[in-house]
Amino acid sequence: MKLMRYGPKGNEKPALVDSQGRVRDLSGLTPDIHAAMLAPEGLRTLAEVDVDSLPVVANPGRIAPPYSGMGKFICVGLNYADHAAESGMPVPAEPVLFTKATSALVGCNDAVVLPQDSAKGDWEVELGVVIGATARYVSEADALKHVAGYCVVNDISEREYQLERGGTWDKGKGCDTFGPVGPWLVTADEIADPQNLDMWLEVNGQRFQNGSTRTMVFGVAQLVSYISRFMTLYPGDLISTGTPPGVGMGHKPSPVYLKPGDVMRLSIAGLGEQTQKVHAWDPALIDG
């Protein structure tokens, strides 16, 4: 299934995408797609729905994050060897973990708003892994059984905040609007191999990132198992698994950073496409 939500902020409706690519409204069956519905029993219930009986939404308008109630937004850094190299950092011996604030979460096509005095905004197309079954000290062999599905994430960063102002990476990663997710949550049964997904990202029509999950240092099963040793993972928790090379910080001969008016497009095979326009600081774009 391809699960999604649509509508203005604060008034989102649940939906799924049928085999013809049409949006089908689920609000007659449930008021929302909440994180708790991503548990195995919830997904089984949704899978039994007669899709053809659901109303077609001709013009869904804004596409919201594909589910509500995210508990944790966990990210993995330097998880592609060639991205580590372009960042001037060694390939890690263990996964590098950090978090994005859940307040960074926005819909896949929502405005990206640069924070005040931002000078080094950057992009990162990433595979998102959504937890469906509670995971605590799970083995790699069993890890994928705890995954509800997958989605596209743009792990937007402010590199000066992240790398030049001391402390951890979080303050350069968790700014408002720095976590576009969606358009869909594609359930795990539709993704035969999460380690064989092509991905790309463009800025203003120029292709900067062109990679594949095949080249991850730590694969999805490894990451779910590893992270579950340090924190319990609950339905709706999102793991953003790292980015391939081609970020603005690593561009040669000189870095390229986001500026107001830029347009990012990005996609992962089978998981849909995102488009975001970059804006200067404007709280109305965040709260509206």
Side-chain angles (χ1 to χ4, degrees):
M1 292 181 291
K2 293 181 175 69
L3 301 175
M4 62 172 288
R5 296 160 70 240
Y6 69 97
K9 293 180 182 179
N11 194 30
E12 293 90 347
K13 294 182 178 181
L16 56 76
V17 180
D18 68 17
S19 60
Q20 304 301 312
R22 294 171 296 194
V23 176
R24 298 276 189 162
D25 185 79
L26 281 169
S27 58
L29 302 175
T30 179
D32 199 2
I33 299 173
H34 191 272
M37 293 181 65
L38 306 180
E41 58 272 20
L43 291 182
R44 282 194 294 268
T45 299
L46 288 174
E48 294 171 355
V49 170
D50 178 8
V51 175
D52 291 337
S53 69
L54 299 173
V56 174
V57 183
N59 297 296
R62 172 182 177 259
I63 301 176
Y67 64 96
S68 64
M70 179 190 297
K72 295 190 284 293
F73 197 154
I74 306 160
C75 299
V76 182
L78 306 176
N79 197 30
Y80 290 72
D82 32 15
H83 171 57
E86 72 174 353
S87 301
M89 301 179 187
V91 176
E94 294 189 31
V96 174
L97 304 182
F98 61 94
T99 60
K100 292 180 90 79
T102 54
S103 54
L105 177 66
V106 291
C108 64
N109 301 329
D110 285 348
V112 167
V113 182
L114 297 175
Q116 293 183 18
D117 304 318
S118 174
K120 296 183 178 180
D122 206 346
W123 55 82
E124 296 187 5
V125 58
E126 304 198 2
L127 173 66
V129 178
V130 181
I131 298 298
T134 300
R136 182 184 294 124
Y137 290 102
V138 299
S139 67
E140 287 187 28
D142 290 334
L144 295 186
K145 298 176 184 177
H146 295 261
V147 174
Y150 303 93
C151 57
V152 182
V153 177
N154 191 353
D155 176 18
I156 299 168
S157 313
E158 213 302 335
R159 300 300 190 188
E160 180 186 0
Y161 297 5
Q162 177 192 358
L163 301 172
E164 300 175 27
R165 297 183 61 173
T168 63
W169 290 2
D170 301 64
K171 62 191 175 189
K173 293 285 192 171
C175 302
D176 294 337
T177 75
F178 272 24
V181 172
W184 317 310
L185 186 160
V186 181
T187 51
D189 59 293
E190 292 201 8
I191 303 300
D193 182 2
Q195 302 306 148
N196 190 29
L197 301 175
D198 293 333
M199 56 177 62
W200 55 264
L201 182 145
E202 298 177 348
V203 180
N204 301 331
Q206 179 179 346
R207 183 70 57 94
F208 282 90
Q209 291 189 277
N210 212 8
S212 170
T213 58
R214 292 186 296 273
T215 64
M216 280 184 182
V217 177
F218 306 102
V220 172
Q222 289 175 286
L223 292 173
V224 173
S225 175
Y226 181 85
I227 295 168
S228 76
R229 303 177 199 175
F230 302 99
M231 64 193 80
T232 301
L233 298 171
Y234 294 104
D237 285 349
L238 175 62
I239 302 170
S240 196
T241 57
T243 197
V247 300
M249 177 178 64
H251 186 265
K252 301 294 187 287
S254 59
V256 176
Y257 294 117
L258 294 169
K259 62 186 184 301
D262 286 345
V263 175
M264 294 177 282
R265 291 180 61 241
L266 55 149
S267 180
I268 299 178
L271 302 182
E273 183 176 309
Q274 301 185 353
T275 302
Q276 300 109 26
K277 186 174 181 179
V278 179
H279 297 262
W281 173 252
D282 183 349
L285 293 172
I286 298 169
D287 300 329

